[in-house]
Amino acid sequence: MVLPLLKLGTLALKTLSKPIASRLKAEAGKHPKFRNYIISMAQANHRITTQMQRRIYGHATDVEIRPLNEEKAVQAAVDLLGEVFIFTVAVAALAFEVQRSSRSEARKEELRRQEMEAMRQRDEELAREVELLKSKLQEIEQLAQKRGLAGVFNFRHAHTDESKPAIS
């Protein structure tokens, strides 16, 4: 019951992050200081991507890269900002899911370990009980031999030589 609700909550969080990212994009270009910052960020991103594309396609890399105009820079920056926000939310949801899954596995492993320990203790108890019964049987046989009842309590011979019928 909990697992489907967690998955549904993660999906809802991802879905809700898209309108939040849109709102963030709309508001990002309005604040003057932040606008200057994102314009410089967009220009740096434009230079880096253009240089990478030129290197990939084998074009000249020493050519001057013309900067974006202000509105294109703002639009590119807020788009990048929105994508980074959505990506961050998705990574956070994924990290939460992995952490939850690892905790669940750790609990299962601890239960298995406890079950194995209980089985080991039970095995040791049974081994001690078998040893106690062997010693008691040995005592009974010794008492029987002392009293001359060795033929009556001849357990060892009956178990070791099953092909011969026991003589009473």
Side-chain angles (χ1 to χ4, degrees):
M1 179 69 182
V2 173
L3 184 63
L5 290 177
L6 280 174
K7 294 211 182 257
L8 185 63
T10 303
L11 182 62
L13 183 64
K14 287 180 187 176
T15 304
L16 289 174
S17 70
K18 290 178 184 178
I20 294 171
S22 296
R23 176 70 180 202
L24 184 64
K25 285 167 44 175
E27 295 296 322
K30 293 181 181 176
H31 192 272
K33 287 184 181 179
F34 189 67
R35 182 179 174 93
N36 290 335
Y37 173 72
I38 63 172
I39 288 174
S40 65
M41 182 178 70
Q43 295 295 357
N45 185 39
H46 173 66
R47 282 190 301 277
I48 291 169
T49 56
T50 304
Q51 285 177 348
M52 285 175 38
Q53 287 174 349
R54 286 184 178 175
R55 285 185 182 143
I56 289 172
Y57 295 125
H59 298 289
T61 57
D62 58 349
V63 178
E64 184 182 347
I65 299 170
R66 288 182 286 154
L68 297 171
N69 69 33
E70 195 172 304
E71 287 307 312
K72 282 187 179 180
V74 169
Q75 187 59 42
V78 294
D79 286 343
L80 180 63
L81 190 62
E83 292 300 317
V84 165
F85 178 75
I86 291 171
F87 180 74
T88 303
V89 169
V91 166
L94 179 66
F96 172 76
E97 186 67 28
V98 167
Q99 187 180 24
R100 188 199 58 78
S101 177
S102 68
R103 281 193 310 255
S104 174
E105 284 299 316
R107 282 192 300 267
K108 287 179 185 177
E109 185 61 33
E110 180 61 24
L111 285 174
R112 276 182 248 152
R113 189 192 64 72
Q114 288 175 356
E115 287 174 359
M116 290 297 291
E117 181 64 24
M119 288 170 46
R120 186 188 61 76
Q121 287 178 352
R122 179 70 177 141
D123 186 41
E124 288 174 358
E125 288 172 11
L126 289 174
R128 282 192 298 269
E129 194 172 325
V130 164
E131 288 301 318
L132 179 67
L133 289 173
K134 282 181 181 179
S135 68
K136 285 184 179 182
L137 180 61
Q138 192 175 19
E139 286 177 26
I140 290 173
E141 287 177 346
Q142 287 174 356
L143 286 174
Q145 279 181 343
K146 287 179 183 176
R147 293 186 180 180
L149 300 173
V152 176
F153 294 110
N154 197 0
F155 294 120
R156 290 186 193 258
H157 299 296
H159 288 285
T160 56
D161 193 12
E162 293 179 3
S163 61
K164 295 181 184 176
I167 303 172
S168 305

